[in-house]
Amino acid sequence: MNRIFSGIQPTGNLHLGNYLGAVRNWVRLQNDYECLFCVVDLHAITVWQDPAELTAHTREVAAAVLAAGIDPRRNILFVQSHNPDHAQLAWILNCVARMGWLNRMTQFKDKAGKNRENASVGLFAYPNLMSADILAYRATHVPVGEDQKQHLELARDTAQKFNNDYGVDLFPLPEPVILATAARIMSLRDGTKKMSKSDESDYSRINMTDDADTIELKLRKAKTDPLPLPDSVEGLEGRPEAANLLDIWAALSDGTRAAAIERFGGRTFSEFKKELTELAVSVLGPISSEMKRYLADPAELDAILAKGAADARALSAPVLADVSKVVGFLKA
Ligand code: TRP
C-alpha cells in the first residue's frame, strides 16, 4: 500500500487558504493511501515562536485537521516532536546532503532574506528535517504545493545518495502527489497576494475559527472593482479580486471557475457576495464549531495525538534500526 506523509506547521491560525489549499485535500487522500499527518513543531522553531503560542497553535492545527474530517482511526495524526526519530534521522541526513544542495533552496533564501548570517542553523537545515519526516516512514508519496517541490526533490536526492553511499536500497524515492483540486486562495484585500496568516490586516483572510458574522463582514468588505461579474473566464483578465472570489466559490462548492461564472456572470458583487457568504458559512461553520469543541476540552485531542505518536514511532523504529545498522552505529 502506498504511504503518504504530510506536514503542516503550527504557526498561527489556519485560514481559508490553508483549508482549501491543503487540509481539505488530505481528507480525500485518506481513502486512497495509508496516511501520516504531522504537526511539524520542530520545523516551526526554525524561526522564533513564542512558547505559549506554539503550544496553543499545535493544538489548534491538530483540531482543525480533525474537524476538517481526518479520521484518527484510519490515519496517524501526531506531533513531530513526540517522535524523536525525526530529529535522529535528520542528523544523519545532515551528514548525507551537501552544503551546495541546501545553498540552492529558494525558500531559505526568501526566509533568511538579506541577513543570512543571522538566520538559525535550523532554518538552513530545515529541508533535511523534512526529508527525515518522509524517509523515517519510507513514505512513497508526499502531497506538495509549488512551494515545497524543491524540498521534495532534495529529499529524493538525499535518499538516493544514502542508498548509493551505503550500497543499500533502504529508502524508496518519494513521489509528489500533485493535487488538482488544491485551490490557490488570495488575500481579500489584494487579489494578487496570497492569503496569509502574516498579513497585518485580519480582513485579508477568513480564519477557520471565524464565526458567521465575521465571515459575513469580511466578505462584505472584501475588495472588488466597479464592474459587474464577467460572462466569461477571459473577462477576468486584469480583475484579480473578482477571480479570487469566484475561485473561492468554486473551491467551496467543489466546482470550477467556469461554473461559477456561468452562475454569477453579469450579476453584481453584492448579490454574489451574499451567496458566497452563505456558502462559506455553511462549509466552515461545522468545522469551526468542531474545532472549538476539541479545544474547549483538549483531553480528547491530546489522547488522539498520544496514540498517533505511538503508532508513528512503531512505524519509524524499525526504519531507524535499519539505518543505524547500515551506518555502523554500535547496537544499543
Ligand atoms: N515544509 C512544509 C511546509 O512548510 C511542511 C512539512 C514539514 C512537510 N515536513 C513535511 C510537508 C513533510 C510534506 C512532507 O508546508
Side-chain angles (χ1 to χ4, degrees):
M1 170 100 156
N2 288 323
R3 181 179 286 169
I4 286 231
F5 186 98
S6 193
I8 188 162
Q9 293 212 37
T11 48
N13 279 324
L14 283 180
H15 53 70
L16 188 66
N18 303 124
Y19 175 64
L20 294 174
V23 178
R24 185 180 66 151
N25 303 291
W26 290 5
V27 177
R28 302 182 175 150
L29 294 173
Q30 62 183 341
N31 300 322
D32 304 325
Y33 297 88
E34 179 189 354
C35 298
L36 292 116
F37 298 116
C38 184
V39 184
V40 292
D41 53 353
L42 299 176
H43 276 108
I45 62 164
T46 56
V47 295
W48 171 253
Q49 302 296 327
D50 174 80
E53 283 182 11
L54 180 63
T55 311
H57 290 153
T58 299
R59 283 207 183 97
E60 267 165 31
V61 166
V65 168
L66 291 168
I70 294 294
D71 179 353
R73 285 159 308 196
R74 285 201 286 151
N75 307 277
I76 298 179
L77 172 66
F78 72 111
V79 175
Q80 190 182 31
S81 65
H82 292 179
N83 181 358
D85 286 345
H86 294 244
Q88 173 83 3
L89 182 57
W91 180 261
I92 296 165
L93 299 182
N94 280 341
C95 303
V96 174
R98 305 287 93 183
M99 288 291 288
W101 301 359
L102 282 126
N103 270 328
R104 284 195 286 276
M105 294 296 112
T106 57
Q107 184 170 297
F108 175 74
K109 291 182 204 165
D110 291 347
K111 283 203 184 173
K114 286 196 189 69
N115 199 356
R116 271 213 210 186
E117 293 293 309
N118 196 39
S120 73
V121 174
L123 189 67
F124 185 71
Y126 177 116
N128 290 339
L129 178 60
M130 181 164 158
S131 302
D133 294 343
I134 300 163
L135 300 177
Y137 302 95
R138 291 195 172 107
T140 56
H141 290 80
V142 180
V144 280
E146 220 23 74
D147 61 329
Q148 297 300 318
K149 264 194 190 156
Q150 196 185 28
H151 289 163
L152 185 62
E153 274 302 316
L154 184 86
R156 290 169 59 88
D157 291 345
T158 307
Q160 182 74 68
K161 180 164 164 55
F162 182 97
N163 289 345
N164 290 347
D165 287 355
Y166 291 101
V168 291
D169 193 16
L170 205 155
F171 295 123
L173 306 189
E175 303 278 346
V177 183
I178 308 290
L179 298 160
T181 51
R184 196 170 140 79
I185 303 300
M186 313 305 277
S187 159
L188 298 180
R189 317 257 17 161
D190 177 350
T192 63
K193 277 200 333 214
K194 221 172 139 177
M195 186 176 282
S196 160
K197 49 194 156 200
S198 53
D199 194 313
E200 69 275 0
S201 169
D202 200 50
Y203 284 98
S204 70
R205 63 187 160 258
I206 293 175
N207 301 308
M208 299 275 282
T209 46
D210 284 346
D211 59 22
D213 289 343
T214 310
I215 294 175
E216 194 272 331
L217 180 67
K218 286 179 175 176
L219 285 175
R220 186 149 44 82
K221 290 194 173 252
K223 186 174 173 198
T224 56
D225 58 46
L227 302 172
L229 289 156
D231 292 313
S232 68
V233 175
E234 296 75 54
L236 285 173
E237 195 65 43
R239 300 182 66 188
E241 284 80 22
N244 186 39
L245 292 173
L246 287 164
D247 283 348
I248 293 175
W249 165 275
L252 287 169
S253 62
D254 276 326
T256 59
R257 192 185 256 197
I261 286 179
E262 195 160 316
R263 177 158 176 163
F264 296 106
R267 303 198 19 215
T268 64
F269 273 104
S270 74
E271 285 174 321
F272 167 51
K273 281 181 169 184
K274 273 202 197 100
E275 287 199 41
L276 181 59
T277 299
E278 264 173 48
L279 178 63
V281 168
S282 77
V283 173
L284 293 180
I287 298 176
S288 79
S289 51
E290 183 68 352
M291 262 180 89
K292 285 176 191 144
R293 188 186 69 75
Y294 276 116
L295 296 173
D297 176 13
E300 181 189 354
L301 181 63
D302 291 355
I304 290 171
L305 293 174
K307 160 118 184 4
D311 290 348
R313 188 135 201 218
L315 293 178
S316 63
V319 179
L320 268 286
D322 286 354
V323 169
S324 296
K325 191 164 172 233
V326 161
V327 171
F329 292 156
L330 179 65
K331 198 166 183 300

